[in-house]
Amino acid sequence: MIAVVTTMTTEVPAPDRVTQEDIEEAARRKELIIRWISRISGYVVVLGLWEWASGAVLEENLLPGPTRVLQTAVELFQDGKVFPAFGASLSRILLGVFLSFIIGSMIGIITQNRWFSGFFKDAITIGLTSPGLIWVLITALVFGNRWFGPILAIILTTFALVSVNVAEGIGSLPKDTLDMARAFKVNLVDRNRHIVIPHLAPYLFTGLRFSFSIGWKVTVLTEIFTASSGIGFELRIAQILFRQDEVLTWILLFFVFALFLEKVVLQAIEDRFFRWRKEIAST
Amino acid sequence: MAEIKIRNLHKEFGTGADKVVALEDVNLDMGGHVFVSIVGPSGCGKSTLLNILSGIETPTSGSLEITQSGHKAAPGYVFQAARLLPWRTVMDNLLFVQQDKSDETRARCQKYLEMVQLGDKGDKFPGELSGGMQQRVGIARAFSIEPDVLFMDEPFSHLDAITARSLRRELHTMWADTGKTIIFVTHDVGEAVELSNRILVFAQGGRLEDDITVDLDFPRDAADEEVAIAKASVLRKFEEFDLLAT
Amino acid sequence: MTAVATKPPSSSSGTAIPPRRPSSAPMRFIKSPRFARAMFLPAVLVFWLISNKLIENSWDFDSSVLATPREVWDFMWAEVTRDTVAPKDLYETFGISLYRLGIGFSISMILGTTIGLGMGLSRAVNAFFHDWVMALLAMPALAWALFLSLIFGFDNKGPIIAVVLAGIPFVIVNVREGVRSTPRDLFDMSNAFGVPSNKRTRHVLLPSLYPFLFASARYALSIGWKGLVIIELFGGQDGAGWTVKFWYDAHRLHGVIGYSMFFVIFALVMENAILEPISRRVFRWRPSLNSPDIVEEEMDALYDVEELNRELDANLPTGSTQET
């Protein structure tokens, strides 16, 4: 009968406290260095491939490299084309998102009623799933280049996001807290101010952020078809003239700008005001 | 039958200011057809000891020998939550931990399913069973590999009192019938007294405070005077070591 | 026929429900959400016709631009029966687009899963790709469409690349999440029982990834489709997107609306006839969960809820339900 099957013997002398912390600090630093090296090499490889492909794989006119794009961007800024175009697009987006926010909230509120909830059920499904392109084409055909065509397209593609978030917010109102407030005879105004509005605000904000992120894409799309100003318009002109470098530059410029608004500005506002709320319900 | 020999076992988590000692210089010998319960307040290192015994964690220092006479078998393990694969049927969950899928093995799995009264539930998914049934599957799984030693980590703490009670009875019968060594971690002193013939009391910081032998006949009923007295004496030990304060 | 409506108000349960105001059966039917839902389509049609009239009267539109529901219906019927003035009929058109979608989708699944696995397993790989994946995720399909249509012209390559680029970031992100949320407790269990690693991969790792892979596939398909339509619209000579543009350029609103309806129908068929049955088959182990949501909750938590419900059921007097 041979007995021993598993034997583990690990003798590690209790390490000195200071060195232990040093080791850990070093490990953390090493980890950080590896992460940054990987990240930077990611940038180098992607940008390098892009620069190399431009010219080597495809003609430079078809695929302008990063340096060429940067150059074009500078030129566009110097020509003074960028800010008017951004201004035109942005004002359309803001108006569209604002109206969609109001309409969406109203629908979100009245769908608390079971009948209206049934009535709007399919409308919200359609609003959430139908591609913006459809509404863009339809409004472009019907309204031509009248100013509210694009606005209507934005509203139709984004209202449902707001509605769903508002309905979600109302549905999840903290009933126990409200009951507590009522039991303590807190008046209606204070109840709304301290419970209902703080509770709803994050939901409203999420709806707003989502509709912005969809709205700007729809806006550019409508401008390609109908408008005579804005990013989309500039894109179309560049495409017609086969100026691939300008197409790419406009796309990237607006992409960076929208991303900045969405992820930096709106996110910062959200983080600041809703710090108490770690996880915001989103649909 | 398994023999377990633990010498100067030490385990700590974290380093520097965050260092937590989970087990401090533990020396133990266990073996034979015994039912050993490890009790103590939460954070006393009892689950850590079990994890080290079953090889999920490694000790910081010290030695550990689990010697088994005869054939070589992995230890069986029953967890606090059943830890079943939710996407496999009950039978496939048992087969998952087997060496092979022969008819013989299947028959053995079926036998243990029947032992925990789930003979007809082999083709159900875990999600279709109640919590008590899932834990039964966990127990059947541990027995089905016919281990020499079984490690159990508070297997009944998630269950309601009535289910836990009937499962304790079943477990005890299985222990008596199969002659295994069972190492059973619990925070419930009553459970420990009811089931085991040896109780190890651990204190905060992973110190082994006491080693109590409970020499009463089985089956034990919590209502019996002798059992109640034994339970009270263990609890008194707890007070003595100031374990209740935490 | 009125079996539901004539049922007496449910006052049979013992709990104190305030007696409802008696209302007639037809009234109750009109007030029901189901009736409201049925009313939506007629309401849209009425609204459509009224706004047509309003628009015609308000501006000096060429009234032939506007479409009536009837015209849309006729158009759709003509397309279905292959009676079309477009160069390719409905079936050919969707066939071409589906072919592109299929290839692009397969590439994005294979490539995306590989990268996602790498990112989930290694911090360095994650750091390497992270920023670019996030940028890709936020990049609208429109951007690709304009750009690729200029590069590749009327080739199949452009649309396929657009599908890949649109879908791949979703696959990567989902697979990475899947790898990160693999069930640790089940791995520990496997280790404790000494289960060999190939068996562990097949029975623990892969099944735990399926929900994430499935979610990826769903996203990649729907986003890829949108991207495909847009690139076909800007730089194709056939396919679904191009055909919509064809009707748009012909100033036939009924064509645009009708074709959009085909898109919606196509999406519904894909969802209900293909994805849903697969999902039900793959996830039949999930109790009463047919939704395609990613399983994020711990299995233990799931069981606890069940246990709690069982306890609640046991403790509550029979017949009464917890309805508010």
PDB file of all heavy atoms in Angstrom, chain B residues 220-246:
ATOM      1  N   ARG B 220     -29.334  11.265  15.334  1.00  0.00           N
ATOM      2  CA  ARG B 220     -29.533  12.196  16.439  1.00  0.00           C
ATOM      3  C   ARG B 220     -30.708  13.116  16.122  1.00  0.00           C
ATOM      4  O   ARG B 220     -30.872  13.535  14.976  1.00  0.00           O
ATOM      5  CB  ARG B 220     -28.289  13.041  16.646  1.00  0.00           C
ATOM      6  CG  ARG B 220     -27.096  12.192  17.065  1.00  0.00           C
ATOM      7  CD  ARG B 220     -25.860  13.022  17.064  1.00  0.00           C
ATOM      8  NE  ARG B 220     -24.691  12.167  17.297  1.00  0.00           N
ATOM      9  CZ  ARG B 220     -23.456  12.586  17.086  1.00  0.00           C
ATOM     10  NH1 ARG B 220     -23.235  13.822  16.660  1.00  0.00           N
ATOM     11  NH2 ARG B 220     -22.443  11.780  17.321  1.00  0.00           N
ATOM     12  N   ASP B 221     -31.440  13.435  17.134  1.00  0.00           N
ATOM     13  CA  ASP B 221     -32.559  14.347  16.959  1.00  0.00           C
ATOM     14  C   ASP B 221     -32.274  15.580  17.795  1.00  0.00           C
ATOM     15  O   ASP B 221     -31.885  15.464  18.957  1.00  0.00           O
ATOM     16  CB  ASP B 221     -33.859  13.653  17.420  1.00  0.00           C
ATOM     17  CG  ASP B 221     -35.076  14.443  16.993  1.00  0.00           C
ATOM     18  OD1 ASP B 221     -34.999  15.697  16.998  1.00  0.00           O
ATOM     19  OD2 ASP B 221     -36.090  13.815  16.645  1.00  0.00           O
ATOM     20  N   ALA B 222     -32.470  16.745  17.186  1.00  0.00           N
ATOM     21  CA  ALA B 222     -32.161  17.992  17.888  1.00  0.00           C
ATOM     22  C   ALA B 222     -32.942  18.095  19.191  1.00  0.00           C
ATOM     23  O   ALA B 222     -32.527  18.784  20.126  1.00  0.00           O
ATOM     24  CB  ALA B 222     -32.463  19.180  16.983  1.00  0.00           C
ATOM     25  N   ALA B 223     -34.081  17.391  19.256  1.00  0.00           N
ATOM     26  CA  ALA B 223     -34.915  17.495  20.456  1.00  0.00           C
ATOM     27  C   ALA B 223     -34.403  16.635  21.601  1.00  0.00           C
ATOM     28  O   ALA B 223     -34.795  16.817  22.759  1.00  0.00           O
ATOM     29  CB  ALA B 223     -36.359  17.112  20.103  1.00  0.00           C
ATOM     30  N   ASP B 224     -33.512  15.687  21.272  1.00  0.00           N
ATOM     31  CA  ASP B 224     -32.998  14.809  22.333  1.00  0.00           C
ATOM     32  C   ASP B 224     -32.201  15.591  23.368  1.00  0.00           C
ATOM     33  O   ASP B 224     -31.468  16.514  23.031  1.00  0.00           O
ATOM     34  CB  ASP B 224     -32.078  13.734  21.718  1.00  0.00           C
ATOM     35  CG  ASP B 224     -32.889  12.551  21.217  1.00  0.00           C
ATOM     36  OD1 ASP B 224     -34.130  12.620  21.344  1.00  0.00           O
ATOM     37  OD2 ASP B 224     -32.281  11.598  20.679  1.00  0.00           O
ATOM     38  N   GLU B 225     -32.338  15.149  24.571  1.00  0.00           N
ATOM     39  CA  GLU B 225     -31.682  15.872  25.664  1.00  0.00           C
ATOM     40  C   GLU B 225     -30.169  15.870  25.488  1.00  0.00           C
ATOM     41  O   GLU B 225     -29.505  16.891  25.595  1.00  0.00           O
ATOM     42  CB  GLU B 225     -32.052  15.224  26.995  1.00  0.00           C
ATOM     43  CG  GLU B 225     -31.858  16.156  28.168  1.00  0.00           C
ATOM     44  CD  GLU B 225     -32.153  15.444  29.485  1.00  0.00           C
ATOM     45  OE1 GLU B 225     -32.876  14.436  29.466  1.00  0.00           O
ATOM     46  OE2 GLU B 225     -31.632  15.907  30.501  1.00  0.00           O
ATOM     47  N   GLU B 226     -29.634  14.687  25.166  1.00  0.00           N
ATOM     48  CA  GLU B 226     -28.180  14.562  25.047  1.00  0.00           C
ATOM     49  C   GLU B 226     -27.625  15.464  23.944  1.00  0.00           C
ATOM     50  O   GLU B 226     -26.596  16.103  24.108  1.00  0.00           O
ATOM     51  CB  GLU B 226     -27.815  13.105  24.734  1.00  0.00           C
ATOM     52  CG  GLU B 226     -27.888  12.203  25.936  1.00  0.00           C
ATOM     53  CD  GLU B 226     -27.598  10.767  25.537  1.00  0.00           C
ATOM     54  OE1 GLU B 226     -28.223  10.299  24.554  1.00  0.00           O
ATOM     55  OE2 GLU B 226     -26.758  10.134  26.173  1.00  0.00           O
ATOM     56  N   VAL B 227     -28.377  15.483  22.809  1.00  0.00           N
ATOM     57  CA  VAL B 227     -27.942  16.312  21.690  1.00  0.00           C
ATOM     58  C   VAL B 227     -27.981  17.781  22.087  1.00  0.00           C
ATOM     59  O   VAL B 227     -27.053  18.549  21.812  1.00  0.00           O
ATOM     60  CB  VAL B 227     -28.822  16.043  20.450  1.00  0.00           C
ATOM     61  CG1 VAL B 227     -28.444  16.976  19.307  1.00  0.00           C
ATOM     62  CG2 VAL B 227     -28.701  14.591  20.030  1.00  0.00           C
ATOM     63  N   ALA B 228     -29.066  18.146  22.777  1.00  0.00           N
ATOM     64  CA  ALA B 228     -29.207  19.533  23.203  1.00  0.00           C
ATOM     65  C   ALA B 228     -28.077  19.923  24.143  1.00  0.00           C
ATOM     66  O   ALA B 228     -27.512  21.017  24.068  1.00  0.00           O
ATOM     67  CB  ALA B 228     -30.562  19.735  23.872  1.00  0.00           C
ATOM     68  N   ILE B 229     -27.717  19.008  25.025  1.00  0.00           N
ATOM     69  CA  ILE B 229     -26.637  19.290  25.975  1.00  0.00           C
ATOM     70  C   ILE B 229     -25.317  19.469  25.226  1.00  0.00           C
ATOM     71  O   ILE B 229     -24.544  20.403  25.488  1.00  0.00           O
ATOM     72  CB  ILE B 229     -26.525  18.162  27.029  1.00  0.00           C
ATOM     73  CG1 ILE B 229     -27.738  18.228  27.975  1.00  0.00           C
ATOM     74  CG2 ILE B 229     -25.225  18.279  27.827  1.00  0.00           C
ATOM     75  CD1 ILE B 229     -27.871  17.026  28.875  1.00  0.00           C
ATOM     76  N   ALA B 230     -25.096  18.565  24.265  1.00  0.00           N
ATOM     77  CA  ALA B 230     -23.856  18.659  23.487  1.00  0.00           C
ATOM     78  C   ALA B 230     -23.781  19.992  22.756  1.00  0.00           C
ATOM     79  O   ALA B 230     -22.739  20.660  22.742  1.00  0.00           O
ATOM     80  CB  ALA B 230     -23.785  17.498  22.490  1.00  0.00           C
ATOM     81  N   LYS B 231     -24.917  20.382  22.178  1.00  0.00           N
ATOM     82  CA  LYS B 231     -24.942  21.638  21.447  1.00  0.00           C
ATOM     83  C   LYS B 231     -24.637  22.809  22.382  1.00  0.00           C
ATOM     84  O   LYS B 231     -23.844  23.702  22.065  1.00  0.00           O
ATOM     85  CB  LYS B 231     -26.322  21.819  20.805  1.00  0.00           C
ATOM     86  CG  LYS B 231     -26.433  23.073  19.955  1.00  0.00           C
ATOM     87  CD  LYS B 231     -27.831  23.199  19.362  1.00  0.00           C
ATOM     88  CE  LYS B 231     -28.004  24.576  18.743  1.00  0.00           C
ATOM     89  NZ  LYS B 231     -29.376  24.797  18.291  1.00  0.00           N
ATOM     90  N   ALA B 232     -25.271  22.753  23.582  1.00  0.00           N
ATOM     91  CA  ALA B 232     -25.057  23.824  24.550  1.00  0.00           C
ATOM     92  C   ALA B 232     -23.599  23.894  24.962  1.00  0.00           C
ATOM     93  O   ALA B 232     -23.031  24.982  25.116  1.00  0.00           O
ATOM     94  CB  ALA B 232     -25.951  23.598  25.773  1.00  0.00           C
ATOM     95  N   SER B 233     -22.955  22.732  25.086  1.00  0.00           N
ATOM     96  CA  SER B 233     -21.563  22.756  25.534  1.00  0.00           C
ATOM     97  C   SER B 233     -20.648  23.334  24.455  1.00  0.00           C
ATOM     98  O   SER B 233     -19.691  24.037  24.766  1.00  0.00           O
ATOM     99  CB  SER B 233     -21.115  21.348  25.963  1.00  0.00           C
ATOM    100  OG  SER B 233     -20.852  20.574  24.833  1.00  0.00           O
ATOM    101  N   VAL B 234     -20.985  23.034  23.178  1.00  0.00           N
ATOM    102  CA  VAL B 234     -20.183  23.632  22.111  1.00  0.00           C
ATOM    103  C   VAL B 234     -20.374  25.141  22.100  1.00  0.00           C
ATOM    104  O   VAL B 234     -19.416  25.915  21.971  1.00  0.00           O
ATOM    105  CB  VAL B 234     -20.557  23.030  20.740  1.00  0.00           C
ATOM    106  CG1 VAL B 234     -19.775  23.734  19.632  1.00  0.00           C
ATOM    107  CG2 VAL B 234     -20.275  21.547  20.712  1.00  0.00           C
ATOM    108  N   LEU B 235     -21.629  25.555  22.265  1.00  0.00           N
ATOM    109  CA  LEU B 235     -21.898  26.993  22.276  1.00  0.00           C
ATOM    110  C   LEU B 235     -21.184  27.677  23.423  1.00  0.00           C
ATOM    111  O   LEU B 235     -20.720  28.810  23.306  1.00  0.00           O
ATOM    112  CB  LEU B 235     -23.407  27.250  22.357  1.00  0.00           C
ATOM    113  CG  LEU B 235     -24.150  27.128  21.021  1.00  0.00           C
ATOM    114  CD1 LEU B 235     -25.646  27.215  21.229  1.00  0.00           C
ATOM    115  CD2 LEU B 235     -23.690  28.212  20.048  1.00  0.00           C
ATOM    116  N   ARG B 236     -21.083  26.958  24.560  1.00  0.00           N
ATOM    117  CA  ARG B 236     -20.370  27.526  25.704  1.00  0.00           C
ATOM    118  C   ARG B 236     -18.902  27.750  25.353  1.00  0.00           C
ATOM    119  O   ARG B 236     -18.298  28.738  25.731  1.00  0.00           O
ATOM    120  CB  ARG B 236     -20.507  26.600  26.909  1.00  0.00           C
ATOM    121  CG  ARG B 236     -20.547  27.379  28.229  1.00  0.00           C
ATOM    122  CD  ARG B 236     -20.967  26.493  29.377  1.00  0.00           C
ATOM    123  NE  ARG B 236     -22.297  25.926  29.214  1.00  0.00           N
ATOM    124  CZ  ARG B 236     -22.572  24.629  29.314  1.00  0.00           C
ATOM    125  NH1 ARG B 236     -21.618  23.745  29.543  1.00  0.00           N
ATOM    126  NH2 ARG B 236     -23.805  24.190  29.177  1.00  0.00           N
ATOM    127  N   LYS B 237     -18.356  26.804  24.591  1.00  0.00           N
ATOM    128  CA  LYS B 237     -16.983  26.971  24.117  1.00  0.00           C
ATOM    129  C   LYS B 237     -16.852  28.259  23.306  1.00  0.00           C
ATOM    130  O   LYS B 237     -15.880  28.994  23.420  1.00  0.00           O
ATOM    131  CB  LYS B 237     -16.563  25.776  23.250  1.00  0.00           C
ATOM    132  CG  LYS B 237     -16.472  24.478  24.002  1.00  0.00           C
ATOM    133  CD  LYS B 237     -15.023  24.139  24.306  1.00  0.00           C
ATOM    134  CE  LYS B 237     -14.887  23.094  25.390  1.00  0.00           C
ATOM    135  NZ  LYS B 237     -15.221  21.740  24.956  1.00  0.00           N
ATOM    136  N   PHE B 238     -17.866  28.483  22.472  1.00  0.00           N
ATOM    137  CA  PHE B 238     -17.867  29.693  21.660  1.00  0.00           C
ATOM    138  C   PHE B 238     -17.766  30.927  22.544  1.00  0.00           C
ATOM    139  O   PHE B 238     -17.007  31.849  22.292  1.00  0.00           O
ATOM    140  CB  PHE B 238     -19.163  29.784  20.828  1.00  0.00           C
ATOM    141  CG  PHE B 238     -19.028  29.238  19.440  1.00  0.00           C
ATOM    142  CD1 PHE B 238     -18.744  27.899  19.243  1.00  0.00           C
ATOM    143  CD2 PHE B 238     -19.184  30.056  18.343  1.00  0.00           C
ATOM    144  CE1 PHE B 238     -18.623  27.384  17.963  1.00  0.00           C
ATOM    145  CE2 PHE B 238     -19.057  29.558  17.057  1.00  0.00           C
ATOM    146  CZ  PHE B 238     -18.784  28.210  16.864  1.00  0.00           C
ATOM    147  N   GLU B 239     -18.560  30.908  23.634  1.00  0.00           N
ATOM    148  CA  GLU B 239     -18.536  32.043  24.553  1.00  0.00           C
ATOM    149  C   GLU B 239     -17.171  32.171  25.210  1.00  0.00           C
ATOM    150  O   GLU B 239     -16.618  33.255  25.331  1.00  0.00           O
ATOM    151  CB  GLU B 239     -19.602  31.859  25.642  1.00  0.00           C
ATOM    152  CG  GLU B 239     -20.924  32.474  25.263  1.00  0.00           C
ATOM    153  CD  GLU B 239     -22.024  32.080  26.241  1.00  0.00           C
ATOM    154  OE1 GLU B 239     -21.708  31.708  27.381  1.00  0.00           O
ATOM    155  OE2 GLU B 239     -23.195  32.138  25.832  1.00  0.00           O
ATOM    156  N   GLU B 240     -16.635  31.040  25.589  1.00  0.00           N
ATOM    157  CA  GLU B 240     -15.344  30.989  26.232  1.00  0.00           C
ATOM    158  C   GLU B 240     -14.275  31.665  25.368  1.00  0.00           C
ATOM    159  O   GLU B 240     -13.463  32.447  25.843  1.00  0.00           O
ATOM    160  CB  GLU B 240     -14.961  29.516  26.400  1.00  0.00           C
ATOM    161  CG  GLU B 240     -14.304  29.158  27.696  1.00  0.00           C
ATOM    162  CD  GLU B 240     -14.162  27.642  27.737  1.00  0.00           C
ATOM    163  OE1 GLU B 240     -15.122  26.942  28.130  1.00  0.00           O
ATOM    164  OE2 GLU B 240     -13.095  27.171  27.316  1.00  0.00           O
ATOM    165  N   PHE B 241     -14.320  31.332  24.061  1.00  0.00           N
ATOM    166  CA  PHE B 241     -13.314  31.898  23.161  1.00  0.00           C
ATOM    167  C   PHE B 241     -13.728  33.260  22.622  1.00  0.00           C
ATOM    168  O   PHE B 241     -13.088  33.815  21.749  1.00  0.00           O
ATOM    169  CB  PHE B 241     -13.066  30.948  21.973  1.00  0.00           C
ATOM    170  CG  PHE B 241     -12.622  29.583  22.390  1.00  0.00           C
ATOM    171  CD1 PHE B 241     -13.236  28.455  21.886  1.00  0.00           C
ATOM    172  CD2 PHE B 241     -11.586  29.442  23.307  1.00  0.00           C
ATOM    173  CE1 PHE B 241     -12.821  27.204  22.276  1.00  0.00           C
ATOM    174  CE2 PHE B 241     -11.177  28.182  23.699  1.00  0.00           C
ATOM    175  CZ  PHE B 241     -11.796  27.052  23.188  1.00  0.00           C
ATOM    176  N   ASP B 242     -14.854  33.731  23.146  1.00  0.00           N
ATOM    177  CA  ASP B 242     -15.305  35.057  22.746  1.00  0.00           C
ATOM    178  C   ASP B 242     -15.586  35.109  21.232  1.00  0.00           C
ATOM    179  O   ASP B 242     -15.243  36.053  20.556  1.00  0.00           O
ATOM    180  CB  ASP B 242     -14.258  36.111  23.119  1.00  0.00           C
ATOM    181  CG  ASP B 242     -14.906  37.482  23.260  1.00  0.00           C
ATOM    182  OD1 ASP B 242     -16.134  37.514  23.456  1.00  0.00           O
ATOM    183  OD2 ASP B 242     -14.192  38.478  23.160  1.00  0.00           O
ATOM    184  N   LEU B 243     -16.191  34.059  20.726  1.00  0.00           N
ATOM    185  CA  LEU B 243     -16.443  34.001  19.290  1.00  0.00           C
ATOM    186  C   LEU B 243     -17.781  34.629  18.916  1.00  0.00           C
ATOM    187  O   LEU B 243     -18.012  35.002  17.789  1.00  0.00           O
ATOM    188  CB  LEU B 243     -16.440  32.552  18.797  1.00  0.00           C
ATOM    189  CG  LEU B 243     -15.145  31.786  18.997  1.00  0.00           C
ATOM    190  CD1 LEU B 243     -15.275  30.385  18.479  1.00  0.00           C
ATOM    191  CD2 LEU B 243     -13.999  32.506  18.325  1.00  0.00           C
ATOM    192  N   LEU B 244     -18.666  34.712  19.915  1.00  0.00           N
ATOM    193  CA  LEU B 244     -20.010  35.190  19.600  1.00  0.00           C
ATOM    194  C   LEU B 244     -20.042  36.688  19.355  1.00  0.00           C
ATOM    195  O   LEU B 244     -20.919  37.199  18.692  1.00  0.00           O
ATOM    196  CB  LEU B 244     -20.976  34.841  20.740  1.00  0.00           C
ATOM    197  CG  LEU B 244     -21.225  33.355  20.914  1.00  0.00           C
ATOM    198  CD1 LEU B 244     -22.111  33.111  22.113  1.00  0.00           C
ATOM    199  CD2 LEU B 244     -21.861  32.765  19.668  1.00  0.00           C
ATOM    200  N   ALA B 245     -19.024  37.360  19.920  1.00  0.00           N
ATOM    201  CA  ALA B 245     -19.036  38.820  19.813  1.00  0.00           C
ATOM    202  C   ALA B 245     -18.930  39.277  18.362  1.00  0.00           C
ATOM    203  O   ALA B 245     -19.424  40.341  18.010  1.00  0.00           O
ATOM    204  CB  ALA B 245     -17.891  39.401  20.633  1.00  0.00           C
ATOM    205  N   THR B 246     -18.295  38.476  17.544  1.00  0.00           N
ATOM    206  CA  THR B 246     -18.055  38.957  16.181  1.00  0.00           C
ATOM    207  C   THR B 246     -19.197  38.635  15.240  1.00  0.00           C
ATOM    208  O   THR B 246     -19.936  37.738  15.431  1.00  0.00           O
ATOM    209  CB  THR B 246     -16.765  38.340  15.602  1.00  0.00           C
ATOM    210  OG1 THR B 246     -16.763  36.957  15.922  1.00  0.00           O
ATOM    211  CG2 THR B 246     -15.571  39.019  16.168  1.00  0.00           C
TER     212      THR B 246
END
